[in-house]
Amino acid sequence: MNDSSIIKKKICLLGMFGVGKTSLIGRFVYNTFEDTYLSTIGVKVSQKIMPPLKLVNNKFIQHNFLIWDIEGFRKEIDITKKYYTGAAGALVVVDLTRSETINNFEELLNLFKEINPNAKIVLAGNKNDLINDKVKTLSMLDLVAKKEKYDYFLTSAKSGLNVENAFNKLSELLLP
Amino acid sequence: MIYSFYENIFKYLKIGFTYLSKDLKVIYFNKEFKSYIVDIHNPIEKCITELIPETVGLEDNLFEIASGNNKSLNLKYFAREDENGKVFYFNLLFYATEDPEKPIICLIENITDLATKEQKILQQQNEILLLESYLLSRGEFLFASILGSSEPIRNIQKMVAKISSVSFTTVLLLGESGTGKSLVAKAIHYSSQESKKPFVEINCAAIPESLLESELFGYEKGAFTGAVEKRRGLLEEANGGTLFLDEIGELPLKLQAKLLTFLESRKFRPLGSNKVKEVKVRLITATNRDLNEMKKNGEFREDLLYRLKVITFNLPPLRELGTDIITFANHFIHIYNIEFNKHVKTLSKDAERVLLNYRWPGNVRELSNVIERAMIFIESDVINVEDLNLHSDGKNTFSSKWTVPPEGFSLDQVERDLIFSALEKSGGNKSHASRLLGLSRDTFCYRLAKYKPE
């Protein structure tokens, strides 16, 4: 039987307020969902050990994600920047029912990449349960993801759709 | 001695503190510090990242402080839950000391009271911004607002997708009052390539005939008494985008002729002007009236009707949408939760049944009003039957009180008889008659016109 080598990784959840960052963590880490909106102030760190991924020197590499649920990004208030320090990756969340959450995406990402140039990025188009397949935000997200060559997932914290897949992808990208 | 001095101050201020070595290991800590660490048994010689998970990833910054290259690192508003699930907040501060044996001091300050207050303020700010955002989204991406999965709704979605891919076509939307004609018009516009161009909406019934022409086509200074300066008409305002003429059946005959001229040439002349203007617009018109009947009665121009009917679409009444009624109701619950700061989660099964059995004479608009009214007064998180306050006059009671005779009958004849019976009972008062039948006045008039003797 092979042992595991658990590596701690700091992962930031980025996005404007109300996109569902806390709900995604709720679904991923605790398998819960609350329909009511409670705004996050500051940051809350949750942990989850990811499934083993790769065998290196007879040991499975496994990530322990320290997931930073960071207060929603707002252009005019730059308090979130400090929280980005030392992140290995980020799940950038947009709300598929609100186009402006995609419009502000590049600015937010540039800020994060400035601090963590080598960090891995995955995008999540959240609240997929609230839209139909013709909504324009889908093509906006697709366009942004293709331009920056990021993987993206259409997620729903409510139904759980693709939530694990998004985090698993990030774990996979962080393999040495 | 010095530890004891600090310890007393920090104890008084309820601040946790620890000294870290240059390799970030705990050298000394006070009692308050223990309440923030995950392994309280033997923190000495353990790395700070093992004890405080929030410090993972900060190692490089902390080494900078330990080596004297950086003075401090200040991270605010960390949230955690205690063993009872209660959230508390703390600030985490790292400062460089001048002692090479213990080069970093880490302070942890509980700021729960302050943060809780700030969270409440932020919550209110964000709720307002979210509401604004939803309102904006309702305008920008109304396509997403065409909720539901019933056959008629899927047809609407397909139709909107097809029409929006064609620029500057002419569309006629038909349907009872409250079926969402305006929403569909907006959805067509905002899903199209011209979505950034103007969407101009005008209700032909809401503007006096004398003003409608100048509103639509604009005027030159001095064109008529009161025209003190030149004004662009709505047709020109909509150039490049969409002009939506709601209640087109109310357009006066004189203006019908002018609109026809415009539709044939895409050109028009503002009042008092010699210059012809040309615009490119997608024209969407809507009505709940029977334009064919109006045409027969000489109230609507036949040639204009054919121009408007390039693409015609009938919007289904709510009662034909089956369980989509519940989808819409849940959507309104979501909207009004934000608007009224309520936390309603769902409808009870009985409430769902009542909604599904109701006839919805006022269609989606009525459903929205019913949910809004329920949400204003509700105190629990589930909407029950009594919260809906629906009157029985809208209920589908035919199944229990009416039966079809073995020889069958003509539904049209029954409807006709009921309409005239209601009119007779109300002494010719259409508003009263429409109430007797649980219809909106517009719907009643539409049906009355349908059965009016030639």
Side-chain angles (χ1 to χ4, degrees), chain B residues 134-203:
Chain B
Y134 278 118
L135 292 173
L136 184 74
S137 298
R138 270 202 267 185
E140 267 191 359
F141 293 114
L142 281 152
F143 191 83
S145 304
I146 305 177
L147 301 170
S149 55
S150 62
E151 183 73 27
I153 289 291
R154 282 207 303 274
N155 286 340
I156 295 173
Q157 289 163 346
K158 279 183 205 158
M159 186 271 300
V160 169
K162 279 182 185 161
I163 297 173
S164 60
S165 65
V166 183
S167 299
F168 310 129
T169 186
T170 304
V171 183
L172 175 62
L173 301 172
L174 301 171
E176 290 176 16
S177 180
T179 46
K181 294 185 286 293
S182 173
L183 178 103
V184 169
K186 286 175 187 156
I188 293 170
H189 173 78
Y190 288 107
S191 309
S192 72
Q193 281 185 345
E194 295 77 35
S195 61
K196 299 287 176 207
K197 300 284 182 180
F199 175 86
V200 177
E201 181 174 0
I202 185 166
N203 186 324

Coordinates of all heavy atoms in Angstrom, one line a residue, chain B residues 134-203:
Chain B
Y134 N -29.7 43.2 -9.8 CA -30.8 42.3 -10.3 C -31.7 43.1 -11.2 O -32.1 42.6 -12.3 CB -31.6 41.7 -9.2 CG -30.9 40.5 -8.6 CD1 -30.6 40.4 -7.3 CD2 -30.7 39.3 -9.4 CE1 -29.9 39.3 -6.8 CE2 -30.1 38.2 -8.9 CZ -29.7 38.2 -7.6 OH -29.1 37.1 -7.1
L135 N -32.0 44.4 -10.8 CA -32.8 45.2 -11.7 C -32.1 45.5 -13.0 O -32.8 45.4 -14.1 CB -33.1 46.6 -11.0 CG -34.0 46.4 -9.7 CD1 -34.1 47.8 -9.0 CD2 -35.4 46.0 -10.1
L136 N -30.8 45.7 -12.9 CA -30.1 45.9 -14.2 C -30.1 44.7 -15.0 O -30.3 44.7 -16.2 CB -28.6 46.3 -13.8 CG -27.7 46.6 -15.0 CD1 -28.0 48.0 -15.5 CD2 -26.2 46.6 -14.5
S137 N -29.9 43.5 -14.4 CA -29.9 42.3 -15.1 C -31.2 42.0 -15.7 O -31.3 41.5 -16.8 CB -29.5 41.1 -14.2 OG -28.3 41.3 -13.6
R138 N -32.3 42.4 -15.0 CA -33.6 42.2 -15.6 C -33.7 43.0 -16.9 O -34.4 42.6 -17.8 CB -34.7 42.7 -14.6 CG -35.1 41.6 -13.7 CD -36.5 42.0 -13.1 NE -36.3 42.6 -11.9 CZ -37.4 42.9 -11.1 NH1 -38.6 42.7 -11.5 NH2 -37.2 43.6 -10.0
G139 N -33.0 44.1 -17.0 CA -33.0 44.9 -18.2 C -32.1 44.3 -19.2 O -32.4 44.2 -20.4
E140 N -30.9 44.0 -18.8 CA -29.8 43.6 -19.7 C -30.0 42.2 -20.3 O -29.8 41.9 -21.4 CB -28.5 43.6 -19.0 CG -27.8 44.9 -19.1 CD -26.3 44.8 -18.6 OE1 -25.9 43.7 -18.1 OE2 -25.6 45.8 -18.7
F141 N -30.4 41.3 -19.4 CA -30.5 39.9 -19.8 C -31.8 39.3 -19.6 O -32.0 38.3 -18.9 CB -29.4 39.0 -19.1 CG -28.0 39.4 -19.6 CD1 -27.1 40.0 -18.7 CD2 -27.6 39.3 -20.9 CE1 -25.9 40.4 -19.1 CE2 -26.4 39.7 -21.3 CZ -25.5 40.2 -20.4
L142 N -32.8 39.9 -20.2 CA -34.2 39.5 -19.9 C -34.4 38.1 -20.5 O -35.4 37.4 -20.1 CB -35.1 40.5 -20.5 CG -35.2 41.7 -19.5 CD1 -35.6 42.9 -20.2 CD2 -36.2 41.3 -18.4
F143 N -33.6 37.7 -21.4 CA -33.8 36.4 -22.0 C -33.8 35.4 -20.9 O -34.5 34.4 -20.9 CB -32.6 36.1 -23.0 CG -32.9 34.9 -23.8 CD1 -33.7 34.9 -24.9 CD2 -32.4 33.7 -23.4 CE1 -34.0 33.8 -25.6 CE2 -32.6 32.5 -24.1 CZ -33.4 32.6 -25.2
A144 N -32.9 35.6 -19.9 CA -32.8 34.7 -18.8 C -34.0 34.7 -17.9 O -34.3 33.8 -17.2 CB -31.6 35.1 -17.9
S145 N -34.8 35.8 -18.1 CA -36.0 35.9 -17.3 C -37.2 35.1 -17.8 O -38.2 35.0 -17.2 CB -36.5 37.4 -17.2 OG -35.4 38.1 -16.7
I146 N -37.0 34.6 -19.1 CA -38.0 33.8 -19.6 C -37.8 32.4 -19.0 O -37.2 31.5 -19.6 CB -38.0 33.8 -21.2 CG1 -38.0 35.2 -21.7 CG2 -39.2 33.0 -21.7 CD1 -37.9 35.3 -23.2
L147 N -38.3 32.3 -17.8 CA -38.1 31.0 -17.1 C -39.1 30.0 -17.5 O -40.1 30.3 -18.2 CB -38.4 31.3 -15.6 CG -37.4 32.4 -14.9 CD1 -37.9 32.7 -13.5 CD2 -36.0 31.9 -14.9
G148 N -38.9 28.8 -17.1 CA -39.9 27.7 -17.3 C -39.4 26.7 -18.3 O -38.4 26.9 -19.0
S149 N -40.1 25.5 -18.3 CA -39.6 24.5 -19.2 C -40.8 23.8 -20.0 O -40.6 22.8 -20.6 CB -38.8 23.4 -18.4 OG -39.6 23.0 -17.4
S150 N -42.0 24.4 -19.8 CA -43.2 23.9 -20.5 C -43.0 24.1 -22.0 O -42.2 24.9 -22.5 CB -44.4 24.5 -20.0 OG -44.4 25.9 -20.3
E151 N -43.8 23.4 -22.8 CA -43.7 23.4 -24.2 C -43.9 24.9 -24.7 O -43.0 25.4 -25.5 CB -44.7 22.5 -24.8 CG -44.8 22.4 -26.3 CD -43.6 21.6 -26.9 OE1 -43.1 20.7 -26.2 OE2 -43.2 21.9 -28.0
P152 N -44.9 25.6 -24.3 CA -45.1 26.9 -24.8 C -43.9 27.9 -24.4 O -43.5 28.7 -25.2 CB -46.4 27.4 -24.0 CG -47.1 26.2 -23.6 CD -46.0 25.2 -23.4
I153 N -43.4 27.7 -23.2 CA -42.2 28.5 -22.8 C -41.0 28.2 -23.7 O -40.3 29.1 -24.2 CB -41.9 28.3 -21.3 CG1 -43.0 29.0 -20.5 CG2 -40.5 28.9 -21.0 CD1 -43.1 30.5 -20.5
R154 N -40.8 26.9 -24.0 CA -39.7 26.5 -24.8 C -39.8 27.1 -26.2 O -38.9 27.6 -26.8 CB -39.5 25.0 -24.9 CG -38.9 24.4 -23.6 CD -38.2 23.1 -23.9 NE -39.0 22.1 -24.5 CZ -39.8 21.3 -23.8 NH1 -39.8 21.4 -22.5 NH2 -40.6 20.4 -24.4
N155 N -41.1 27.2 -26.7 CA -41.3 27.8 -28.0 C -41.0 29.3 -28.0 O -40.4 29.8 -28.9 CB -42.8 27.6 -28.4 CG -43.1 26.2 -28.8 OD1 -42.2 25.5 -29.2 ND2 -44.4 25.8 -28.8
I156 N -41.3 29.9 -26.9 CA -41.0 31.4 -26.7 C -39.5 31.5 -26.8 O -38.9 32.4 -27.4 CB -41.6 32.0 -25.4 CG1 -43.1 32.0 -25.5 CG2 -41.1 33.4 -25.2 CD1 -43.8 32.4 -24.2
Q157 N -38.8 30.7 -26.0 CA -37.3 30.8 -25.9 C -36.7 30.6 -27.3 O -35.8 31.4 -27.7 CB -36.8 29.8 -24.9 CG -37.1 30.1 -23.5 CD -36.9 29.0 -22.5 OE1 -36.8 27.8 -22.9 NE2 -36.9 29.3 -21.2
K158 N -37.2 29.6 -28.0 CA -36.7 29.4 -29.4 C -37.0 30.6 -30.3 O -36.1 31.0 -31.1 CB -37.4 28.1 -30.0 CG -36.8 26.8 -29.5 CD -37.5 25.7 -30.2 CE -37.4 24.4 -29.4 NZ -38.4 23.4 -29.7
M159 N -38.2 31.1 -30.2 CA -38.6 32.2 -31.0 C -37.7 33.4 -30.7 O -37.3 34.1 -31.6 CB -40.1 32.5 -30.7 CG -40.8 33.5 -31.6 SD -40.6 35.2 -30.9 CE -41.4 35.2 -29.4
V160 N -37.5 33.7 -29.5 CA -36.7 34.9 -29.1 C -35.3 34.7 -29.7 O -34.7 35.6 -30.2 CB -36.7 35.1 -27.6 CG1 -35.6 36.1 -27.2 CG2 -38.0 35.5 -27.0
A161 N -34.7 33.5 -29.5 CA -33.4 33.3 -30.0 C -33.3 33.5 -31.5 O -32.4 34.1 -32.0 CB -32.9 31.8 -29.7
K162 N -34.4 33.0 -32.2 CA -34.3 33.2 -33.7 C -34.5 34.6 -34.1 O -33.8 35.1 -34.9 CB -35.5 32.3 -34.3 CG -35.0 30.9 -34.4 CD -36.1 30.0 -35.1 CE -35.7 28.6 -35.1 NZ -36.8 27.7 -35.3
I163 N -35.5 35.3 -33.5 CA -35.8 36.7 -33.9 C -34.6 37.6 -33.6 O -34.3 38.5 -34.4 CB -37.1 37.2 -33.2 CG1 -38.3 36.4 -33.7 CG2 -37.3 38.6 -33.6 CD1 -39.6 36.7 -33.0
S164 N -34.0 37.3 -32.4 CA -32.9 38.3 -32.0 C -31.7 38.1 -32.9 O -30.9 39.0 -33.0 CB -32.5 38.0 -30.6 OG -32.1 36.7 -30.4
S165 N -31.7 37.0 -33.7 CA -30.5 36.9 -34.6 C -30.7 37.6 -35.9 O -29.8 37.7 -36.7 CB -30.2 35.4 -34.9 OG -31.3 34.9 -35.6
V166 N -31.9 38.2 -36.1 CA -32.2 38.9 -37.3 C -32.3 40.4 -37.0 O -33.1 40.8 -36.1 CB -33.5 38.4 -37.9 CG1 -33.8 39.2 -39.3 CG2 -33.5 37.0 -38.1
S167 N -31.6 41.2 -37.6 CA -31.6 42.7 -37.3 C -32.8 43.3 -38.0 O -33.1 43.0 -39.2 CB -30.3 43.3 -37.8 OG -29.2 42.8 -37.1
F168 N -33.4 44.3 -37.4 CA -34.3 45.2 -38.0 C -35.5 44.5 -38.6 O -35.9 45.0 -39.7 CB -33.6 46.2 -38.9 CG -32.4 46.8 -38.3 CD1 -31.2 46.8 -39.0 CD2 -32.5 47.4 -37.1 CE1 -30.1 47.3 -38.4 CE2 -31.4 47.9 -36.5 CZ -30.2 47.9 -37.1
T169 N -36.0 43.5 -38.0 CA -37.2 42.9 -38.6 C -38.5 43.5 -37.8 O -38.3 44.3 -36.9 CB -37.2 41.3 -38.5 OG1 -38.3 40.8 -39.1 CG2 -37.2 40.9 -37.0
T170 N -39.6 43.0 -38.2 CA -40.8 43.6 -37.6 C -41.6 42.4 -36.9 O -41.8 41.4 -37.6 CB -41.8 44.2 -38.6 OG1 -41.0 45.3 -39.3 CG2 -43.0 44.9 -38.0
V171 N -42.0 42.6 -35.7 CA -42.5 41.5 -34.9 C -43.9 42.0 -34.3 O -43.9 43.1 -33.7 CB -41.6 41.1 -33.8 CG1 -42.1 39.9 -33.0 CG2 -40.2 40.7 -34.3
L172 N -44.9 41.1 -34.3 CA -46.1 41.4 -33.6 C -46.3 40.4 -32.5 O -46.4 39.2 -32.8 CB -47.3 41.3 -34.7 CG -48.7 41.5 -34.1 CD1 -48.9 42.9 -33.5 CD2 -49.7 41.3 -35.2
L173 N -46.5 40.9 -31.3 CA -46.7 40.0 -30.2 C -48.2 40.1 -29.7 O -48.7 41.2 -29.5 CB -45.8 40.4 -29.0 CG -44.3 40.3 -29.2 CD1 -43.6 41.0 -28.1 CD2 -43.8 38.9 -29.5
L174 N -48.8 38.9 -29.7 CA -50.2 38.9 -29.3 C -50.4 38.1 -28.0 O -49.6 37.2 -27.7 CB -51.1 38.2 -30.4 CG -51.0 38.9 -31.8 CD1 -51.7 38.0 -32.8 CD2 -51.7 40.2 -31.7
G175 N -51.3 38.5 -27.2 CA -51.5 37.7 -25.9 C -52.4 38.5 -25.0 O -52.4 39.8 -25.1
E176 N -52.9 37.8 -24.0 CA -53.7 38.5 -23.0 C -52.9 39.4 -22.2 O -51.6 39.3 -22.2 CB -54.3 37.4 -22.0 CG -55.3 36.5 -22.6 CD -55.8 35.5 -21.6 OE1 -55.5 35.6 -20.4 OE2 -56.4 34.5 -22.1
S177 N -53.5 40.3 -21.5 CA -52.8 41.2 -20.6 C -52.1 40.5 -19.5 O -52.6 39.5 -19.0 CB -53.9 42.1 -19.9 OG -53.3 43.1 -19.1
G178 N -50.8 40.9 -19.3 CA -50.0 40.3 -18.3 C -49.3 39.0 -18.7 O -48.7 38.3 -17.8
T179 N -49.2 38.7 -20.0 CA -48.6 37.5 -20.4 C -47.1 37.7 -20.7 O -46.4 36.8 -21.0 CB -49.2 36.9 -21.7 OG1 -49.4 38.0 -22.6 CG2 -50.5 36.2 -21.4
G180 N -46.6 39.0 -20.5 CA -45.2 39.2 -20.6 C -44.7 39.7 -22.0 O -43.6 39.4 -22.4
K181 N -45.6 40.4 -22.7 CA -45.3 40.9 -24.0 C -44.1 41.8 -24.0 O -43.2 41.8 -24.8 CB -46.5 41.5 -24.7 CG -47.6 40.5 -25.0 CD -48.8 41.2 -25.7 CE -49.6 42.1 -24.9 NZ -50.4 41.4 -23.8
S182 N -44.1 42.7 -23.0 CA -43.0 43.7 -22.9 C -41.7 43.0 -22.5 O -40.7 43.3 -23.1 CB -43.4 44.7 -21.7 OG -42.3 45.5 -21.5
L183 N -41.8 42.0 -21.7 CA -40.6 41.2 -21.3 C -40.0 40.5 -22.5 O -38.8 40.5 -22.7 CB -41.0 40.2 -20.3 CG -39.8 39.3 -19.8 CD1 -39.3 39.7 -18.5 CD2 -40.2 37.8 -19.8
V184 N -40.9 39.9 -23.3 CA -40.4 39.2 -24.5 C -39.8 40.2 -25.5 O -38.7 40.0 -26.1 CB -41.5 38.4 -25.2 CG1 -41.1 37.9 -26.6 CG2 -41.9 37.3 -24.3
A185 N -40.4 41.4 -25.6 CA -39.8 42.4 -26.5 C -38.4 42.8 -26.1 O -37.5 42.9 -26.9 CB -40.7 43.7 -26.5
K186 N -38.3 43.0 -24.8 CA -37.0 43.4 -24.2 C -36.0 42.2 -24.4 O -34.8 42.4 -24.7 CB -37.1 43.7 -22.8 CG -37.7 45.1 -22.5 CD -37.9 45.4 -21.1 CE -38.7 46.6 -20.9 NZ -39.4 46.7 -19.6
A187 N -36.5 41.0 -24.2 CA -35.6 39.8 -24.4 C -35.1 39.8 -25.8 O -33.9 39.5 -26.0 CB -36.3 38.6 -24.0
I188 N -35.9 40.0 -26.8 CA -35.5 40.0 -28.2 C -34.4 41.0 -28.4 O -33.3 40.8 -28.9 CB -36.7 40.3 -29.1 CG1 -37.7 39.1 -29.1 CG2 -36.2 40.5 -30.6 CD1 -39.0 39.4 -29.8
H189 N -34.7 42.2 -27.9 CA -33.7 43.3 -28.1 C -32.3 43.0 -27.4 O -31.3 43.1 -28.0 CB -34.2 44.6 -27.6 CG -33.2 45.7 -27.6 ND1 -32.9 46.4 -28.7 CD2 -32.4 46.3 -26.6 CE1 -31.9 47.3 -28.5 NE2 -31.6 47.2 -27.2
Y190 N -32.4 42.7 -26.1 CA -31.2 42.5 -25.3 C -30.4 41.2 -25.6 O -29.3 41.0 -25.2 CB -31.5 42.6 -23.8 CG -31.8 44.1 -23.5 CD1 -33.1 44.5 -23.1 CD2 -30.8 45.0 -23.5 CE1 -33.4 45.8 -22.8 CE2 -31.1 46.4 -23.1 CZ -32.4 46.7 -22.8 OH -32.6 48.0 -22.5
S191 N -31.1 40.3 -26.4 CA -30.3 39.1 -26.8 C -29.8 39.3 -28.2 O -29.1 38.4 -28.7 CB -31.3 37.9 -26.9 OG -32.0 37.8 -25.7
S192 N -30.0 40.4 -28.8 CA -29.6 40.6 -30.2 C -28.3 41.3 -30.3 O -27.7 41.8 -29.3 CB -30.7 41.5 -30.9 OG -30.6 42.8 -30.5
Q193 N -27.8 41.4 -31.5 CA -26.5 42.1 -31.7 C -26.6 43.6 -31.4 O -25.6 44.3 -31.1 CB -26.1 42.0 -33.2 CG -25.5 40.7 -33.5 CD -24.9 40.6 -34.9 OE1 -25.3 41.5 -35.7 NE2 -24.1 39.7 -35.2
E194 N -27.9 44.1 -31.4 CA -28.1 45.5 -31.2 C -28.3 45.8 -29.7 O -28.9 46.9 -29.3 CB -29.3 46.0 -32.0 CG -29.1 45.9 -33.5 CD -29.3 44.5 -34.0 OE1 -30.1 43.7 -33.5 OE2 -28.5 44.2 -35.0
S195 N -28.0 44.9 -28.8 CA -28.4 45.1 -27.4 C -27.8 46.3 -26.7 O -28.3 46.8 -25.8 CB -27.9 43.8 -26.6 OG -26.5 43.7 -26.7
K196 N -26.7 46.8 -27.3 CA -26.1 48.0 -26.7 C -26.8 49.3 -27.2 O -26.6 50.4 -26.7 CB -24.6 48.1 -27.0 CG -23.8 47.0 -26.4 CD -23.6 47.1 -24.9 CE -22.9 45.9 -24.3 NZ -23.3 45.6 -23.0
K197 N -27.5 49.1 -28.3 CA -28.3 50.3 -28.9 C -29.6 50.5 -28.1 O -30.0 49.6 -27.3 CB -28.6 50.0 -30.4 CG -27.3 49.7 -31.2 CD -26.6 51.0 -31.5 CE -25.4 50.8 -32.4 NZ -24.7 52.0 -32.7
P198 N -30.3 51.6 -28.3 CA -31.4 51.9 -27.5 C -32.6 50.9 -27.7 O -32.8 50.4 -28.8 CB -31.8 53.3 -27.9 CG -30.8 53.8 -28.8 CD -30.0 52.6 -29.3
F199 N -33.3 50.7 -26.5 CA -34.6 50.0 -26.6 C -35.6 51.1 -26.1 O -35.6 51.5 -25.0 CB -34.6 48.8 -25.6 CG -35.9 48.2 -25.5 CD1 -36.3 47.2 -26.4 CD2 -36.9 48.5 -24.5 CE1 -37.6 46.6 -26.3 CE2 -38.1 47.9 -24.4 CZ -38.4 46.9 -25.3
V200 N -36.4 51.5 -27.1 CA -37.4 52.6 -26.8 C -38.8 52.0 -26.7 O -39.2 51.3 -27.7 CB -37.3 53.7 -27.8 CG1 -38.3 54.8 -27.5 CG2 -35.8 54.3 -27.8
E201 N -39.5 52.2 -25.6 CA -40.8 51.6 -25.4 C -41.8 52.7 -25.3 O -41.6 53.7 -24.7 CB -40.8 50.8 -24.1 CG -42.1 50.1 -23.8 CD -41.9 49.2 -22.6 OE1 -40.8 49.1 -22.0 OE2 -43.0 48.6 -22.3
I202 N -42.9 52.5 -26.0 CA -44.0 53.5 -25.9 C -45.4 52.8 -25.9 O -45.6 51.8 -26.6 CB -44.0 54.6 -27.0 CG1 -45.0 55.7 -26.8 CG2 -44.1 54.0 -28.4 CD1 -44.8 56.9 -27.6
N203 N -46.2 53.2 -24.9 CA -47.5 52.6 -24.8 C -48.5 53.5 -25.5 O -48.8 54.6 -25.1 CB -47.9 52.4 -23.3 CG -49.2 51.7 -23.2 OD1 -50.1 51.8 -24.0 ND2 -49.3 50.9 -22.1

